């Protein structure tokens, strides 16, 4: 019985039909329990896995649509759907693992291929939005008022990679400060009229959260 038990420990059985992607241990090597020995690609429907910044966790939900672009084939985007959102946060990365399903995987898709995914979590038309770097801790932004930097607390809405929707706390046309070095109460000069960034009302475009 002991010999059989030892013999069983020398056999590595795949949980399903799979393709070996990488062998992480050599024959005869002594390994500890839990050590990764082989990386496999299980046969079955192809899944896409992405690490999404945890600040977007509240906007993610299964069933949301995504557009995917492979770095190697930028002219051939394809669609995917959010399949699942991990129940825990990766503390080291500050991200959450999101898995995507596809109705039909492109023929060029390979294991470990680098992809860019754009998830549409919601849409808002005719919104006030500010650059993401303008929003400080506690949802505070600094606006230029009377030549000084004045703090305002805002109620944020949708977030994209570069912008934050402002539901309450700012008016269209107000100037916000994006330079993190400027502190509340500092004297500032508005300078030339702003380009269409900062605080603006989006009427002809649609703000989408990714």
């Amino acid at each position: 019985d002991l010999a059989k038990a030892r013999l069983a420990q020398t056999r590595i059985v795949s949980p399903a039909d799979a393709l070996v992607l990488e062998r992480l241990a050599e024959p005869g090597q002594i390994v500890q329990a839990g050590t990764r020995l082989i990386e496999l690609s299980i046969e079955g429907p192809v899944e896409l896995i992405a690490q999404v910044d945890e600040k977007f966790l509240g906007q993610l939900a299964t069933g949301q649509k995504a557009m995917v672009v492979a770095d190697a084939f930028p002219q051939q985007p394809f669609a995917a759907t959010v399949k699942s959102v991990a129940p825990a946060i990766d503390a080291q990365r500050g991200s959450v693992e999101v898995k995507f399903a596809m109705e039909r995987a492109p023929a060029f898709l390979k294991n470990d291929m680098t992809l860019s995914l754009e998830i549409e979590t919601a849409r808002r038309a005719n919104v006030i939005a500010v650059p993401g770097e303008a929003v400080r801790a506690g949802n505070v932004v600094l606006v230029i008022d009377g030549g000084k930097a004045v703090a305002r607390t805002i109620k944020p809405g949708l977030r994209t990679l570069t912008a934050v929707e402002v539901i309450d706390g700012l008016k269209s046309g107000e100037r916000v400060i994006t330079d993190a070095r400027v502190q509340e109460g500092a004297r500032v000069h508005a300078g030339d009229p702003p380009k269409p960034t900062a605080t603006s009302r989006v009427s002809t475009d649609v703000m989408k959260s990714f």
Side-chain angles (χ1 to χ4, degrees):
D1 290 342
L2 179 59
K4 289 180 179 179
R6 288 178 175 173
L7 180 61
Q9 292 176 350
T10 67
R11 300 181 65 228
I12 302 171
V13 181
S14 172
D17 292 343
L19 175 69
V20 176
L21 298 179
E22 185 179 4
R23 191 179 70 185
L24 305 173
E26 297 299 325
Q29 180 179 341
I30 298 175
V31 296
Q32 299 296 322
T35 302
R36 294 174 63 236
L37 304 179
I38 296 176
E39 186 173 318
L40 302 175
S41 174
I42 303 297
E43 290 188 3
V46 178
E47 277 188 338
L48 306 180
I49 300 176
Q51 296 294 333
V52 179
D53 194 310
E54 64 177 307
K55 67 184 178 183
F56 297 111
L57 179 59
Q59 299 174 209
L60 294 171
T62 56
Q64 290 172 336
K65 302 298 182 182
M67 187 58 62
V68 189
V69 177
D71 289 359
F73 300 90
Q75 304 304 321
Q76 301 183 54
F78 56 96
T81 304
V82 176
K83 180 181 178 181
S84 65
V85 180
I89 300 295
D90 185 324
Q92 292 184 335
R93 297 182 180 181
S95 62
V96 59
E97 183 179 274
V98 182
K99 293 184 178 180
F100 299 81
M102 297 169 291
E103 290 186 5
R104 182 178 301 175
F108 61 75
L109 208 58
K110 305 295 182 183
N111 284 294
D112 292 332
M113 181 176 280
T114 301
L115 306 172
S116 298
L117 295 100
E118 184 177 276
I119 312 167
E120 183 175 324
T121 61
R123 284 177 177 261
R124 296 283 192 273
N126 195 34
V127 303
I128 293 177
V130 296
E133 62 268 26
V135 182
R136 307 187 180 204
N139 293 323
V140 171
V141 299
L142 296 183
V143 299
I144 301 175
D145 187 356
K148 291 186 177 181
V150 178
R152 297 270 187 86
T153 300
I154 65 168
K155 181 180 179 181
L158 293 180
R159 291 179 181 267
T160 72
L161 295 177
T162 58
V164 177
E165 176 192 11
V166 179
I167 297 176
D168 190 25
L170 287 177
K171 296 179 181 179
S172 179
E174 288 188 294
R175 302 290 300 279
V176 298
I177 299 171
T178 58
D179 191 338
R181 296 170 298 180
V182 178
Q183 300 299 314
E184 181 181 2
R187 297 198 63 82
V188 291
H189 177 61
D192 297 327
K195 297 179 181 179
T197 57
T199 309
S200 58
R201 181 165 292 278
V202 183
S203 56
T204 58
D205 214 346
V206 175
M207 181 179 183
K208 297 187 292 183
S209 179
F210 306 114

Coordinates of all heavy atoms in Angstrom, one line a residue, residues 40-98:
L40 N -1.4 24.8 -18.2 CA -2.2 24.1 -19.2 C -3.2 25.1 -19.8 O -3.6 26.1 -19.1 CB -2.9 23.0 -18.6 CG -2.1 21.9 -17.9 CD1 -3.1 20.8 -17.3 CD2 -1.2 21.2 -18.9
S41 N -3.5 24.8 -21.0 CA -4.7 25.5 -21.6 C -5.7 24.4 -21.8 O -5.6 23.5 -22.7 CB -4.2 26.1 -23.0 OG -5.4 26.6 -23.7
I42 N -6.8 24.5 -21.0 CA -7.9 23.5 -21.0 C -8.7 23.7 -22.3 O -9.1 24.8 -22.7 CB -8.8 23.7 -19.8 CG1 -7.9 23.5 -18.5 CG2 -9.9 22.6 -19.8 CD1 -7.3 22.2 -18.3
E43 N -9.0 22.6 -22.9 CA -9.8 22.6 -24.1 C -11.2 23.0 -23.8 O -11.8 22.6 -22.7 CB -9.8 21.3 -24.8 CG -8.5 20.9 -25.5 CD -8.5 19.7 -26.3 OE1 -9.7 19.1 -26.5 OE2 -7.5 19.2 -26.9
G44 N -11.8 23.8 -24.6 CA -13.2 24.3 -24.3 C -13.4 25.7 -24.8 O -12.5 26.3 -25.5
P45 N -14.4 26.4 -24.4 CA -14.7 27.8 -24.9 C -13.5 28.7 -24.4 O -13.0 28.6 -23.3 CB -16.0 28.1 -24.2 CG -16.7 26.8 -23.9 CD -15.6 25.9 -23.6
V46 N -13.1 29.6 -25.3 CA -12.0 30.5 -25.0 C -12.5 31.6 -24.0 O -13.6 32.1 -24.2 CB -11.5 31.1 -26.3 CG1 -10.3 32.1 -26.0 CG2 -10.9 30.0 -27.2
E47 N -11.7 31.9 -23.0 CA -12.0 33.0 -22.1 C -11.0 34.1 -22.2 O -9.8 33.8 -22.4 CB -12.0 32.4 -20.6 CG -13.3 31.8 -20.2 CD -13.3 31.5 -18.7 OE1 -12.2 31.4 -18.1 OE2 -14.3 31.3 -18.1
L48 N -11.4 35.3 -22.0 CA -10.5 36.4 -21.8 C -10.4 36.8 -20.4 O -11.5 36.9 -19.7 CB -10.9 37.6 -22.7 CG -11.2 37.3 -24.2 CD1 -11.6 38.6 -24.9 CD2 -10.0 36.7 -24.9
I49 N -9.3 37.1 -19.9 CA -9.1 37.5 -18.5 C -8.4 38.8 -18.4 O -7.3 39.0 -19.0 CB -8.3 36.4 -17.7 CG1 -9.1 35.1 -17.7 CG2 -8.2 36.8 -16.2 CD1 -8.3 33.9 -17.1
A50 N -9.0 39.7 -17.6 CA -8.4 41.1 -17.5 C -8.3 41.5 -16.0 O -9.2 41.1 -15.2 CB -9.2 42.1 -18.3
Q51 N -7.3 42.2 -15.7 CA -7.2 42.8 -14.4 C -7.6 44.3 -14.5 O -7.0 45.1 -15.1 CB -5.7 42.8 -13.9 CG -5.2 41.4 -13.7 CD -5.9 40.6 -12.6 OE1 -6.4 41.2 -11.6 NE2 -5.9 39.3 -12.7
V52 N -8.8 44.6 -13.8 CA -9.4 45.9 -13.9 C -9.1 46.6 -12.6 O -9.3 46.0 -11.5 CB -10.9 45.8 -14.2 CG1 -11.5 47.2 -14.2 CG2 -11.1 45.0 -15.5
D53 N -8.8 47.9 -12.7 CA -8.5 48.7 -11.5 C -9.8 48.6 -10.6 O -10.9 48.8 -11.0 CB -8.3 50.2 -11.9 CG -7.7 51.0 -10.7 OD1 -8.3 51.0 -9.6 OD2 -6.7 51.7 -11.0
E54 N -9.5 48.4 -9.3 CA -10.6 48.2 -8.3 C -11.5 49.4 -8.2 O -12.7 49.3 -7.7 CB -10.1 47.9 -6.9 CG -9.2 48.9 -6.3 CD -8.8 48.5 -4.9 OE1 -9.7 48.1 -4.1 OE2 -7.6 48.6 -4.6
K55 N -11.1 50.6 -8.6 CA -11.9 51.8 -8.5 C -13.1 51.7 -9.4 O -14.1 52.4 -9.2 CB -11.1 53.1 -8.7 CG -10.6 53.2 -10.2 CD -9.8 54.5 -10.3 CE -9.2 54.7 -11.7 NZ -8.4 55.9 -11.8
F56 N -13.1 50.8 -10.4 CA -14.2 50.6 -11.3 C -15.1 49.5 -10.9 O -16.1 49.1 -11.6 CB -13.7 50.4 -12.7 CG -12.9 51.5 -13.3 CD1 -11.6 51.4 -13.5 CD2 -13.6 52.7 -13.7 CE1 -10.8 52.5 -14.1 CE2 -12.9 53.8 -14.2 CZ -11.5 53.7 -14.4
L57 N -14.8 48.8 -9.8 CA -15.6 47.6 -9.3 C -17.1 47.9 -9.2 O -17.9 47.1 -9.7 CB -15.0 47.1 -8.0 CG -15.7 45.9 -7.4 CD1 -15.6 44.7 -8.4 CD2 -15.1 45.5 -6.1
G58 N -17.4 49.1 -8.7 CA -18.9 49.4 -8.5 C -19.6 49.5 -9.8 O -20.9 49.5 -9.8
Q59 N -18.9 49.7 -10.9 CA -19.6 49.9 -12.2 C -19.6 48.6 -13.1 O -20.2 48.5 -14.1 CB -18.8 50.9 -13.0 CG -18.8 52.3 -12.4 CD -18.0 53.3 -13.1 OE1 -17.4 54.2 -12.5 NE2 -17.8 53.2 -14.4
L60 N -19.0 47.5 -12.6 CA -18.9 46.3 -13.3 C -20.1 45.3 -13.0 O -20.5 45.3 -11.9 CB -17.6 45.5 -13.1 CG -16.3 46.2 -13.5 CD1 -15.1 45.5 -13.0 CD2 -16.2 46.3 -15.0
A61 N -20.5 44.6 -14.0 CA -21.6 43.7 -13.8 C -21.6 42.6 -14.9 O -21.1 43.0 -16.1 CB -23.0 44.4 -13.8
T62 N -22.0 41.4 -14.6 CA -22.0 40.4 -15.7 C -23.0 40.8 -16.8 O -24.0 41.4 -16.5 CB -22.4 39.0 -15.1 OG1 -23.7 39.2 -14.4 CG2 -21.4 38.6 -14.1
G63 N -22.7 40.4 -18.0 CA -23.6 40.7 -19.1 C -23.2 42.0 -19.8 O -23.7 42.2 -20.9
Q64 N -22.3 42.8 -19.3 CA -21.9 44.0 -20.0 C -21.1 43.7 -21.2 O -20.4 42.8 -21.3 CB -21.1 44.9 -19.0 CG -21.9 45.5 -17.9 CD -21.1 46.2 -16.8 OE1 -19.9 45.9 -16.7 NE2 -21.7 47.2 -16.1
K65 N -21.3 44.6 -22.2 CA -20.6 44.4 -23.5 C -19.3 45.0 -23.5 O -19.0 46.0 -22.8 CB -21.5 45.0 -24.6 CG -22.9 44.4 -24.7 CD -22.9 42.9 -25.0 CE -24.3 42.3 -25.2 NZ -24.3 40.9 -25.4
A66 N -18.4 44.4 -24.2 CA -17.0 44.9 -24.3 C -16.5 44.8 -25.8 O -17.0 43.9 -26.5 CB -16.0 44.2 -23.4
M67 N -15.6 45.7 -26.1 CA -15.0 45.6 -27.4 C -13.5 45.3 -27.2 O -12.9 45.9 -26.3 CB -15.1 47.0 -28.2 CG -14.6 46.9 -29.6 SD -15.4 45.6 -30.6 CE -17.1 46.2 -30.6
V68 N -13.0 44.4 -27.9 CA -11.6 43.9 -27.7 C -10.8 44.1 -28.9 O -11.2 43.9 -30.1 CB -11.6 42.4 -27.3 CG1 -10.3 41.9 -26.9 CG2 -12.7 42.1 -26.3
V69 N -9.5 44.5 -28.7 CA -8.6 44.7 -29.8 C -7.3 44.0 -29.4 O -6.7 44.2 -28.3 CB -8.3 46.2 -30.1 CG1 -7.2 46.4 -31.2 CG2 -9.6 46.9 -30.5
A70 N -6.8 43.2 -30.3 CA -5.5 42.5 -30.1 C -4.4 43.4 -30.6 O -4.5 44.0 -31.7 CB -5.4 41.2 -30.8
D71 N -3.3 43.6 -29.8 CA -2.2 44.5 -30.2 C -1.6 44.1 -31.5 O -1.2 44.9 -32.3 CB -1.1 44.5 -29.1 CG -1.5 45.2 -27.9 OD1 -2.6 45.7 -27.8 OD2 -0.7 45.3 -26.9
A72 N -1.6 42.7 -31.8 CA -1.0 42.2 -33.0 C -2.0 42.4 -34.2 O -1.5 42.3 -35.4 CB -0.6 40.8 -32.9
F73 N -3.3 42.6 -34.0 CA -4.3 42.7 -35.1 C -5.2 43.9 -34.8 O -6.4 43.7 -34.5 CB -5.1 41.4 -35.2 CG -4.2 40.2 -35.5 CD1 -3.7 39.4 -34.5 CD2 -4.0 39.8 -36.8 CE1 -2.9 38.3 -34.8 CE2 -3.2 38.7 -37.1 CZ -2.7 37.9 -36.1
P74 N -4.6 45.1 -34.7 CA -5.4 46.3 -34.3 C -6.6 46.6 -35.3 O -7.5 47.3 -34.9 CB -4.4 47.4 -34.3 CG -3.4 47.0 -35.3 CD -3.3 45.5 -35.1
Q75 N -6.6 46.1 -36.5 CA -7.7 46.4 -37.4 C -8.8 45.4 -37.4 O -9.7 45.4 -38.2 CB -7.1 46.4 -38.9 CG -5.9 47.4 -39.0 CD -6.3 48.8 -38.6 OE1 -7.4 49.3 -38.9 NE2 -5.4 49.5 -38.0
Q76 N -8.7 44.4 -36.4 CA -9.7 43.4 -36.3 C -10.3 43.3 -34.9 O -10.2 42.3 -34.2 CB -9.2 42.0 -36.7 CG -8.6 42.0 -38.2 CD -8.1 40.6 -38.5 OE1 -8.8 39.6 -38.4 NE2 -6.8 40.5 -38.9
P77 N -11.1 44.3 -34.5 CA -11.7 44.3 -33.2 C -12.8 43.2 -33.2 O -13.4 42.9 -34.2 CB -12.3 45.7 -33.0 CG -12.5 46.2 -34.4 CD -11.4 45.6 -35.2
F78 N -13.1 42.8 -32.0 CA -14.2 41.8 -31.8 C -14.9 42.0 -30.5 O -14.4 42.6 -29.6 CB -13.7 40.3 -32.0 CG -12.6 40.0 -31.0 CD1 -12.9 39.3 -29.8 CD2 -11.3 40.3 -31.3 CE1 -11.9 39.0 -28.9 CE2 -10.3 39.9 -30.4 CZ -10.6 39.3 -29.2
A79 N -16.1 41.4 -30.4 CA -17.0 41.7 -29.2 C -16.8 40.6 -28.2 O -16.5 39.4 -28.5 CB -18.4 41.8 -29.7
A80 N -17.1 41.0 -26.9 CA -17.0 40.0 -25.8 C -18.1 40.5 -24.8 O -18.6 41.6 -24.9 CB -15.6 39.9 -25.2
T81 N -18.3 39.6 -23.8 CA -19.3 39.9 -22.7 C -18.7 39.6 -21.4 O -18.0 38.6 -21.3 CB -20.6 39.1 -22.9 OG1 -21.1 39.4 -24.2 CG2 -21.6 39.5 -21.9
V82 N -18.9 40.4 -20.4 CA -18.5 40.1 -19.0 C -19.1 38.9 -18.5 O -20.4 38.8 -18.4 CB -18.7 41.3 -18.1 CG1 -18.3 40.9 -16.7 CG2 -18.0 42.6 -18.5
K83 N -18.3 37.9 -18.2 CA -18.8 36.6 -17.8 C -18.9 36.5 -16.3 O -19.8 36.0 -15.7 CB -18.0 35.5 -18.3 CG -18.4 34.1 -17.9 CD -17.4 33.0 -18.5 CE -17.8 31.6 -18.0 NZ -16.9 30.6 -18.6
S84 N -17.8 37.0 -15.6 CA -17.8 37.0 -14.1 C -16.8 38.0 -13.6 O -15.9 38.4 -14.3 CB -17.4 35.6 -13.6 OG -16.0 35.3 -14.0
V85 N -17.1 38.4 -12.4 CA -16.2 39.4 -11.7 C -15.7 38.7 -10.4 O -16.5 38.2 -9.6 CB -16.9 40.7 -11.3 CG1 -16.0 41.6 -10.6 CG2 -17.5 41.3 -12.6
A86 N -14.4 38.6 -10.2 CA -13.9 37.9 -9.0 C -14.5 38.4 -7.7 O -14.7 39.6 -7.6 CB -12.4 38.0 -9.0
P87 N -14.7 37.5 -6.7 CA -15.3 38.0 -5.5 C -14.3 38.7 -4.5 O -14.6 39.2 -3.5 CB -15.7 36.7 -4.8 CG -14.8 35.6 -5.4 CD -14.5 36.1 -6.8
A88 N -13.0 38.7 -4.9 CA -11.9 39.3 -4.1 C -11.0 40.2 -4.9 O -10.9 40.0 -6.1 CB -11.1 38.2 -3.4
I89 N -10.4 41.1 -4.2 CA -9.5 42.1 -4.8 C -8.1 41.5 -4.7 O -7.7 41.0 -3.6 CB -9.6 43.5 -4.1 CG1 -11.0 44.0 -4.3 CG2 -8.6 44.4 -4.7 CD1 -11.4 44.3 -5.7
D90 N -7.3 41.7 -5.7 CA -5.9 41.4 -5.6 C -5.2 42.6 -4.9 O -5.0 43.7 -5.5 CB -5.3 41.2 -7.1 CG -3.8 40.8 -7.1 OD1 -3.1 41.2 -6.2 OD2 -3.4 40.0 -8.0
A91 N -4.8 42.4 -3.7 CA -4.3 43.5 -2.9 C -3.0 44.0 -3.4 O -2.7 45.2 -3.3 CB -4.1 43.0 -1.4
Q92 N -2.1 43.2 -4.0 CA -0.8 43.6 -4.5 C -1.0 44.5 -5.8 O -0.3 45.5 -5.9 CB 0.1 42.5 -4.9 CG 0.5 41.7 -3.6 CD 1.5 40.6 -4.0 OE1 1.5 40.1 -5.1 NE2 2.3 40.2 -3.0
R93 N -2.0 44.2 -6.6 CA -2.2 44.9 -7.8 C -3.2 46.0 -7.7 O -3.3 47.0 -8.5 CB -2.6 44.0 -9.0 CG -1.6 43.0 -9.4 CD -2.2 42.1 -10.5 NE -1.3 41.1 -11.0 CZ -1.5 40.3 -12.0 NH1 -2.7 40.4 -12.6 NH2 -0.6 39.4 -12.4
G94 N -4.1 45.9 -6.6 CA -5.2 46.8 -6.5 C -6.2 46.7 -7.6 O -6.8 47.7 -8.1
S95 N -6.4 45.4 -8.0 CA -7.3 45.2 -9.2 C -8.2 44.0 -8.9 O -8.0 43.3 -7.9 CB -6.4 44.9 -10.4 OG -5.6 43.7 -10.3
V96 N -9.2 43.9 -9.8 CA -10.1 42.7 -9.7 C -10.1 42.0 -11.0 O -10.0 42.6 -12.1 CB -11.6 43.2 -9.4 CG1 -12.1 44.2 -10.4 CG2 -12.5 42.0 -9.2
E97 N -10.1 40.7 -10.9 CA -10.1 39.8 -12.1 C -11.4 39.7 -12.8 O -12.4 39.4 -12.1 CB -9.5 38.4 -11.8 CG -9.4 37.5 -13.0 CD -8.8 36.2 -12.7 OE1 -7.6 36.0 -12.6 OE2 -9.6 35.3 -12.5
V98 N -11.5 40.0 -14.0 CA -12.8 40.0 -14.8 C -12.6 39.0 -15.9 O -11.6 39.1 -16.7 CB -13.2 41.4 -15.3 CG1 -14.5 41.3 -16.0 CG2 -13.3 42.4 -14.2

